[in-house]
Amino acid sequence: MQTLKTGILKALRTVYDPDLKKDLVSLGMIDDLLITNATISFTIILTTPACPLQEFMKQACIQAIRKEIKKELEIIITTIAKVTSSRPPAAILPEVKNIIAIASGKGGVGKSTVATYVALSLANHGARVGLLDADIFGPSIPTIWNCEREKPAVFKQNGKNFIIPLERHNVKLLSIGFVANSQEAIVWRGPMASAALKQLIQDAYWGVLDYLLIDLPPGTSDIHLTLVQTVTVTGAVVVTTPQKIALIDAIKAIAMFKKEQIQVPILGLVENMSYYFSNKEKIGTPHYIFGKEGGKKLAEQQTIPFLGQIPLLPIICEQGDVGISSNKTIAPFDTIAQILAQQIAVRNAIYQPTEIVKKSY
Amino acid sequence: MQTLKTGILKALRTVYDPDLKKDLVSLGMIDDLLITNATISFTIILTTPACPLQEFMKQACIQAIRKEIKKELEIIITTIAKVTSSRPPAAILPEVKNIIAIASGKGGVGKSTVATYVALSLANHGARVGLLDADIFGPSIPTIWNCEREKPAVFKQNGKNFIIPLERHNVKLLSIGFVANSQEAIVWRGPMASAALKQLIQDAYWGVLDYLLIDLPPGTSDIHLTLVQTVTVTGAVVVTTPQKIALIDAIKAIAMFKKEQIQVPILGLVENMSYYFSNKEKIGTPHYIFGKEGGKKLAEQQTIPFLGQIPLLPIICEQGDVGISSNKTIAPFDTIAQILAQQIAVRNAIYQPTEIVKKSY
Ligand SMILES: Nc1ncnc2c1ncn2[C@@H]1O[C@H](COP(=O)(O)OP(=O)(O)O)[C@@H](O)[C@H]1O
Ligand SMILES: Nc1ncnc2c1ncn2[C@@H]1O[C@H](COP(=O)(O)OP(=O)(O)O)[C@@H](O)[C@H]1O
Ligand SMILES: [Mg+2]
Ligand SMILES: [Mg+2]
């Protein structure tokens, strides 16, 4: 039996996690190895339930074992996920494993849309997900999630009031739009907006989360600075459309996160509104209304992981307007969510924890 | 002769300016009336060179005179334009007759694009036009006008430095993008951005302008407040795309301008990206990718003049990316520019001057 176990572990040491570039045994990803007369069973501990390599790794393990062990035993592999974290023990939001900023520079490129479907997708895979709308002047989350008229509950703990985020389709949601009148304008200077964001972050009861997505406003100003000065941000996703006018602002967003005083790793770039397919054409060819592959090329230039393209789909716009009514995601977003989850795991494994940005900045 | 003149004026008193709802004589729009043996000649003084009613008014005058005067005289009508102003003698930008803010709430809806083509169009009609890029964090004007690497000249007057706006296709241009590195992010809190905007306004030498268009950033924050606290703004144009997510933010922008402490008249609403025509279809039908007529309906609901729709045109995006290379405008924008110029004249005729917004706000 002992030699069988040794053999199996030897086999599994030849299986590499393609992202982390180490073998599964050294990474501590193999657990509960059990050998009976007829079966070998073990668990692979993944770094995210949305791991796109799940099936690939299972098959690689089976092949490696079959090669090493000649005995015909049934191999039973279970996968579980323990989402990793690189956030240092933090005073603020310590129970949140990963804080992911969704940014763009330019407005209207699809930050809120990407944040929404990625959140849905991660939750569908079983992750505990929160979505914080940090767009104080143009909050879209209440509309997209069809809870414009909802008010979050409040509870008191140790004399302090906490907001309880709403929950829809297993995603926890918070937005200034839940507390402000949507017909009115919040005409505030920066400090007021920053104070509002801080309250949404500090005074909310999120509980344990694997991923908290932060839907940022356009620009590179108060809200962005307040965010990185208030919590340690695991990484940022940059959303852009293909045209130069949007790319220029995406470059600015990337430059902001890379600034020496800020240093938030960029987890990847999403190209939205990439092309349009007419349903009225016999032979569908893509219409590049906003130009071709601008985002993809930018990701290459800046050596940022490219998370994928999203076509112009009337259904995306429609669902954004009437509000999503189920947890159904849309194909390209699901792939993007998986690659992102993977990139977060890579980031947590290989980069230093992000530090809080100094207030003086 | 005297009776002939009286007759002509009587006739012209029956011709009404459809916008201002008064007759041309009472409005002081008739000048240089000259009668010879064979001709009647006079000048109509229009309120804008981009007046869309120019031809209509000429014809109405001819008809009215022919009806009143039986003698077969040739009628020669010249039109000139004196752009009106409702700006009170102001300490800042006194030589600018009209300051027009282009706003949206939402980003990426086409503010900079609309500002660009409207400016071109007004200049093509003979107006003196300036375009100030107030989008400090995402300036698009340098790219769209193809002067990304240009630096404006500076001159000294009474010991003070003045920036001279660039000039392209008869439009004067100023943007923070002319002085900042486009690859870098300006990561500033609000007060810094406000100070930069103030400098662009106060320290620029615009000369006499009929129209100064201000291309605003998204949101309703520092830049917007600083603008209305620094200069008297004649009116605002709100740009939106048809979807609800954009309309909500357009409503916020409208609400901001209507606020009791701000009170900038809304001159009209532009619906951009209204529909798409595929050049690959035999029988072209519009594709409503972003929904149908949302902007038009909003204008009706809010009783704001509707300035027009602009389709999704790859050429608009392309020209925005490579930069415009001539003064050629694009059809729907020209109509929008004319209706806007008309609305500015109406605003100047019937509403109170805008006041500077108090600093305490
Ligand atoms: N791929 C897409 N196809 C069609 N409409 C889209 C797409 N992505 C976004 N939209 C729509 O475009 C608008 C802008 O997207 P949004 O997510 O609000 O952008 P941002 O948050 O960056 O301002 C919304 O109305 C949204 O529904
Ligand atoms: N009607 C249109 N058809 C195609 N592309 C457009 C249209 N209007 C704007 N665009 C493109 O969309 C992007 C956003 O427009 P822009 O004027 O920069 O918006 P904003 O100033 O409101 O952020 C630009 O790349 C622009 O070229
Ligand atoms: Mg958004
Ligand atoms: Mg713009």
Side-chain angles (χ1 to χ4, degrees):
Chain A
M1 217 54 144
Q2 194 49 39
T3 41
L4 197 53
K5 188 170 177 187
T6 316
I8 292 168
L9 287 174
K10 189 180 161 206
L12 292 177
R13 275 189 197 280
T14 67
V15 180
Y16 271 60
D17 181 313
D19 294 323
L20 306 181
K21 300 194 173 52
K22 282 191 185 154
D23 72 271
L24 302 194
V25 179
S26 309
L27 284 168
M29 285 169 71
I30 303 298
D31 203 7
D32 302 330
L33 177 56
L34 205 81
I35 305 159
T36 68
N37 281 338
T39 63
I40 300 169
S41 70
F42 59 92
T43 302
I44 305 179
I45 306 173
L46 300 167
T47 50
T48 169
C51 181
L53 301 173
Q54 202 153 328
E55 232 6 81
F56 165 85
M57 285 208 272
K58 272 190 189 177
Q59 292 307 323
C61 289
I62 292 174
Q63 272 184 27
I65 294 171
R66 293 262 178 261
K67 209 171 143 191
E68 182 72 28
I69 312 291
K70 294 303 156 203
K71 228 170 143 189
E72 265 301 314
L73 296 173
E74 194 192 349
I75 302 173
I76 304 165
I77 305 177
T78 312
T79 55
I80 61 162
K82 267 193 203 158
V83 173
T84 56
S85 176
S86 59
R87 298 191 66 226
I92 292 173
L93 300 183
E95 295 175 318
V96 175
K97 291 189 176 180
N98 295 287
I99 297 185
I100 311 299
I102 316 283
S104 71
K106 184 93 180 158
V109 297
K111 286 177 296 298
S112 304
T113 304
V114 168
T116 291
Y117 288 102
V118 164
L120 267 184
S121 186
L122 292 173
N124 286 348
H125 282 284
R128 292 160 294 183
V129 182
L131 173 50
L132 173 63
D133 186 352
D135 197 339
I136 302 292
F137 301 103
S140 304
I141 294 306
T143 310
I144 302 181
W145 287 79
N146 200 6
C147 42
E148 278 177 301
R149 261 161 264 277
E150 308 272 329
K151 297 268 161 276
V154 169
F155 80 98
K156 228 181 181 121
Q157 197 175 47
N158 302 331
K160 200 182 156 203
N161 283 323
F162 284 90
I163 317 168
I164 305 175
L166 297 179
E167 198 165 329
R168 287 287 180 284
H169 313 302
N170 289 319
V171 175
K172 293 184 176 175
L173 303 170
L174 198 54
S175 169
I176 194 152
F178 296 153
V179 287
N181 179 338
S182 77
Q183 297 279 312
E184 271 169 37
I186 293 183
V187 189
W188 282 347
R189 289 203 171 263
M192 287 279 280
S194 290
L197 175 65
K198 267 195 187 162
Q199 249 190 303
L200 288 180
I201 293 175
Q202 297 180 347
D203 301 353
Y205 181 76
W206 292 99
V208 176
L209 291 181
D210 293 318
Y211 305 104
L212 175 60
L213 307 182
I214 315 252
D215 180 17
L216 284 170
T220 52
S221 189
D222 295 271
I223 291 292
H224 309 79
L225 280 171
T226 299
L227 177 67
V228 294
Q229 290 177 346
T230 307
V231 292
T232 50
V233 175
T234 307
V237 174
V238 176
V239 182
T240 185
T241 46
Q243 64 266 53
K244 185 176 165 195
I245 295 263
L247 298 172
I248 289 175
D249 290 1
I251 293 173
K252 288 186 199 298
I254 294 167
M256 169 181 70
F257 289 119
K258 284 190 175 167
K259 259 183 182 288
E260 210 192 306
Q261 306 95 322
I262 296 183
Q263 295 197 44
V264 169
I266 313 276
L267 300 165
L269 189 143
V270 175
E271 183 187 292
N272 189 21
M273 308 195 188
S274 300
Y275 46 83
Y276 175 67
F277 271 108
S278 163
N279 54 6
K280 290 167 190 157
E281 283 165 37
K282 277 238 176 84
I283 304 158
T285 44
H287 295 238
Y288 294 99
I289 302 181
F290 294 134
K292 193 174 168 182
E293 298 194 338
K296 198 167 170 220
K297 286 176 203 152
L298 179 63
E300 282 161 21
Q301 271 163 34
Q302 300 256 345
T303 53
I304 290 173
F306 185 60
L307 303 181
Q309 292 183 317
I310 304 158
L312 273 161
L313 292 173
I315 181 73
I316 294 178
C317 189
E318 210 178 296
Q319 287 205 27
D321 279 7
V322 301
I324 52 176
S325 57
S326 78
N327 69 347
K328 249 179 69 185
T329 177
I330 295 175
F333 290 110
D334 192 41
T335 314
I336 285 168
Q338 291 187 42
I339 307 181
L340 172 61
Q342 202 178 359
Q343 289 301 330
I344 294 170
V346 173
R347 180 254 174 275
N348 288 340
I350 65 177
Y351 294 122
Q352 291 296 313
T354 309
E355 281 175 38
I356 285 271
V357 174
K358 290 209 181 60
K359 295 281 179 215
S360 61
Y361 183 59
Chain B
M1 217 53 145
Q2 196 48 41
T3 42
L4 196 53
K5 187 170 178 188
T6 316
I8 292 167
L9 287 175
K10 190 178 158 206
L12 291 177
R13 274 187 197 281
T14 68
V15 179
Y16 272 59
D17 180 315
D19 294 323
L20 306 181
K21 301 198 171 48
K22 281 190 187 155
D23 71 272
L24 302 193
V25 179
S26 311
L27 284 168
M29 285 169 71
I30 303 298
D31 203 7
D32 301 330
L33 177 56
L34 203 80
I35 305 159
T36 67
N37 281 340
T39 64
I40 300 169
S41 70
F42 59 91
T43 302
I44 305 179
I45 306 172
L46 300 168
T47 50
T48 170
C51 181
L53 301 171
Q54 202 153 327
E55 231 6 79
F56 166 85
M57 286 209 270
K58 272 190 188 176
Q59 292 308 322
C61 289
I62 292 173
Q63 272 183 25
I65 295 170
R66 291 263 179 261
K67 209 171 144 190
E68 181 73 28
I69 312 290
K70 295 303 155 200
K71 226 169 143 189
E72 266 300 317
L73 296 173
E74 195 191 348
I75 303 172
I76 303 163
I77 305 177
T78 312
T79 54
I80 61 161
K82 268 192 203 159
V83 173
T84 56
S85 176
S86 59
R87 297 191 67 225
I92 293 173
L93 301 183
E95 296 174 319
V96 176
K97 290 190 177 181
N98 295 286
I99 297 185
I100 311 300
I102 315 283
S104 71
K106 183 92 180 161
V109 297
K111 287 177 295 299
S112 304
T113 304
V114 168
T116 291
Y117 288 102
V118 164
L120 267 184
S121 186
L122 292 172
N124 286 349
H125 283 284
R128 292 160 293 184
V129 182
L131 173 49
L132 173 64
D133 187 352
D135 198 338
I136 302 293
F137 300 104
S140 305
I141 294 305
T143 310
I144 303 182
W145 288 77
N146 201 3
C147 41
E148 279 177 301
R149 262 160 264 276
E150 307 273 329
K151 298 268 162 276
V154 169
F155 80 97
K156 229 183 179 119
Q157 197 176 47
N158 302 330
K160 201 183 156 202
N161 282 324
F162 285 88
I163 317 167
I164 305 175
L166 296 180
E167 199 165 330
R168 286 289 180 284
H169 313 302
N170 288 318
V171 175
K172 293 184 176 174
L173 303 170
L174 198 54
S175 169
I176 194 152
F178 296 154
V179 287
N181 179 339
S182 77
Q183 298 280 311
E184 271 170 37
I186 293 184
V187 189
W188 281 347
R189 290 203 170 263
M192 287 280 280
S194 291
L197 175 65
K198 266 195 186 161
Q199 249 190 302
L200 288 180
I201 293 176
Q202 297 180 348
D203 300 352
Y205 181 76
W206 291 99
V208 176
L209 290 181
D210 292 318
Y211 306 104
L212 175 60
L213 306 181
I214 315 252
D215 180 18
L216 284 169
T220 52
S221 190
D222 295 270
I223 290 291
H224 308 80
L225 280 169
T226 299
L227 176 68
V228 294
Q229 289 176 346
T230 308
V231 294
T232 52
V233 175
T234 307
V237 174
V238 175
V239 181
T240 185
T241 46
Q243 64 266 53
K244 186 175 164 195
I245 296 264
L247 297 173
I248 289 175
D249 290 1
I251 292 172
K252 289 187 198 297
I254 294 167
M256 169 181 68
F257 289 119
K258 284 191 175 167
K259 260 186 182 285
E260 210 191 304
Q261 306 95 319
I262 296 182
Q263 295 197 43
V264 169
I266 314 276
L267 299 165
L269 188 142
V270 175
E271 183 187 292
N272 189 22
M273 309 195 189
S274 301
Y275 46 81
Y276 175 67
F277 270 108
S278 161
N279 54 4
K280 290 168 192 157
E281 284 165 35
K282 277 240 174 82
I283 304 157
T285 45
H287 295 238
Y288 294 100
I289 303 180
F290 294 133
K292 194 175 168 183
E293 298 195 341
K296 197 166 171 222
K297 287 175 203 153
L298 179 63
E300 281 161 21
Q301 273 164 33
Q302 301 256 345
T303 55
I304 289 172
F306 186 60
L307 303 181
Q309 292 183 317
I310 304 158
L312 274 161
L313 292 173
I315 181 73
I316 294 178
C317 187
E318 211 178 296
Q319 287 206 26
D321 280 6
V322 300
I324 52 176
S325 56
S326 78
N327 69 347
K328 249 179 69 184
T329 176
I330 295 176
F333 290 109
D334 192 42
T335 314
I336 286 168
Q338 290 188 42
I339 307 180
L340 172 60
Q342 202 177 358
Q343 289 301 331
I344 295 170
V346 173
R347 182 255 174 274
N348 288 340
I350 65 177
Y351 294 121
Q352 292 295 312
T354 309
E355 282 175 36
I356 285 271
V357 174
K358 290 208 180 62
K359 295 281 177 206
S360 61
Y361 182 58

